[in-house]
Amino acid sequence: RNDEMGPTAYIALGFESVPWRSPDAVTFMVMQAIIGQYKKGTGLVPGTISGNRVINAVANKMGVGCAESYEAFCSFYRDTGMFGFYIECDEVAVEHAIGELMFGVNLLSFSVTDEEVERAKRELKARLFSTPTSAEAACAELGGHMLAYGRGIPAAEMMLRIEAVDAEEIKRVAWKYLNDAEVATTALGPLHGMPQYYDLRRGSLMHRY
């Protein structure tokens, strides 16, 4: 905690996921797209009317929004991985921002619609395949594939893998890896509303009364 950094808090929270070669890796990439990313005041569609449930909830919380920006991340390594989110928010909105993102992650295990999954798959394919192509970019991509998979992955194969993911697959993977799971977190700045680790861990599952 550092109250001299200004009014903005910086928070990252992650769950253990899967390595590159896991059959569930592509599902995590789609889940990342479902949570999405948001930055106040930018983008073609304002967050307050976004069709993404998490973006809409964050942008409309307390009438003014509870985060300046957030971004879901998904990192794969040789024998493990990490899935989570990064938030920048005002010091008075820390608890609300974390709560909305944790709720969005929880919903992946219980309530994912076909519409959300199709939107996420479109965004993922656009992010993977619509970047400008050059010899340097192609070599970098091939090198990444060789380190991750031991071979190059054709675009057509990756498209097929993405298309094979549906709402039931999202719920299966989220339930297996994210529901009632251990979390790791780090935060910097004014953290008056930062929940204790016990509360963050408890927030990784849905409470129904």
Side-chain angles (χ1 to χ4, degrees):
R1 174 173 170 174
N2 185 348
D3 293 338
E4 297 179 358
M5 289 183 60
T8 304
Y10 306 89
I11 304 153
L13 186 143
F15 300 80
E16 185 177 7
S17 63
V18 297
W20 272 112
R21 299 192 186 189
S22 168
D24 295 329
V26 173
T27 306
F28 269 102
M29 295 167 69
V30 177
M31 288 160 55
Q32 176 191 5
I34 290 175
I35 301 298
Q37 59 184 4
Y38 163 74
K39 187 170 185 179
K40 184 180 289 187
T42 64
L44 193 61
V45 178
T48 51
I49 59 171
S50 173
N52 184 308
R53 283 194 291 186
V54 181
I55 292 176
N56 196 290
V58 168
N60 286 294
K61 189 74 171 182
M62 300 184 294
V64 294
C66 61
E68 294 300 317
S69 67
Y70 82 79
E71 181 177 4
F73 63 81
C74 187
S75 300
F76 303 120
Y77 306 100
R78 181 178 296 274
D79 55 3
T80 188
M82 179 168 280
F83 175 87
F85 53 82
Y86 168 75
I87 310 171
E88 294 181 18
C89 62
D90 191 270
E91 57 184 317
V92 300
V94 170
E95 187 173 6
H96 290 294
I98 293 177
E100 289 296 344
L101 268 296
M102 288 293 284
F103 185 68
V105 172
N106 280 337
L107 286 180
L108 294 173
S109 302
F110 300 96
S111 176
V112 178
T113 66
D114 293 330
E115 180 185 0
E116 285 180 300
V117 175
E118 291 304 316
R119 182 191 300 116
K121 290 195 292 188
R122 287 196 303 269
E123 292 175 358
L124 176 59
K125 286 185 282 190
R127 178 164 58 86
L128 291 177
F129 303 117
S130 66
T131 53
T133 56
S134 65
E136 180 182 4
C139 288
E141 182 179 15
L142 180 59
H145 288 175
M146 291 298 296
L147 290 173
Y149 304 109
R151 65 183 180 91
I153 303 294
E157 179 181 341
M158 183 59 72
M159 294 280 276
L160 289 174
R161 290 187 178 192
I162 294 171
E163 280 302 318
V165 177
D166 58 17
E168 291 304 314
E169 177 69 3
I170 294 288
K171 286 187 275 190
R172 180 191 69 80
V173 172
W175 176 268
K176 180 178 180 180
Y177 296 102
L178 306 181
N179 185 67
D180 197 14
E182 299 298 330
V183 300
T185 187
T186 184
L188 190 64
L191 303 170
H192 305 292
M194 183 71 181
Q196 298 181 30
Y197 180 81
Y198 168 81
D199 295 315
L200 292 173
R201 173 63 179 82
R202 189 168 179 266
S204 68
L205 68 155
M206 203 68 97
H207 300 278
R208 300 179 184 273
Y209 300 96

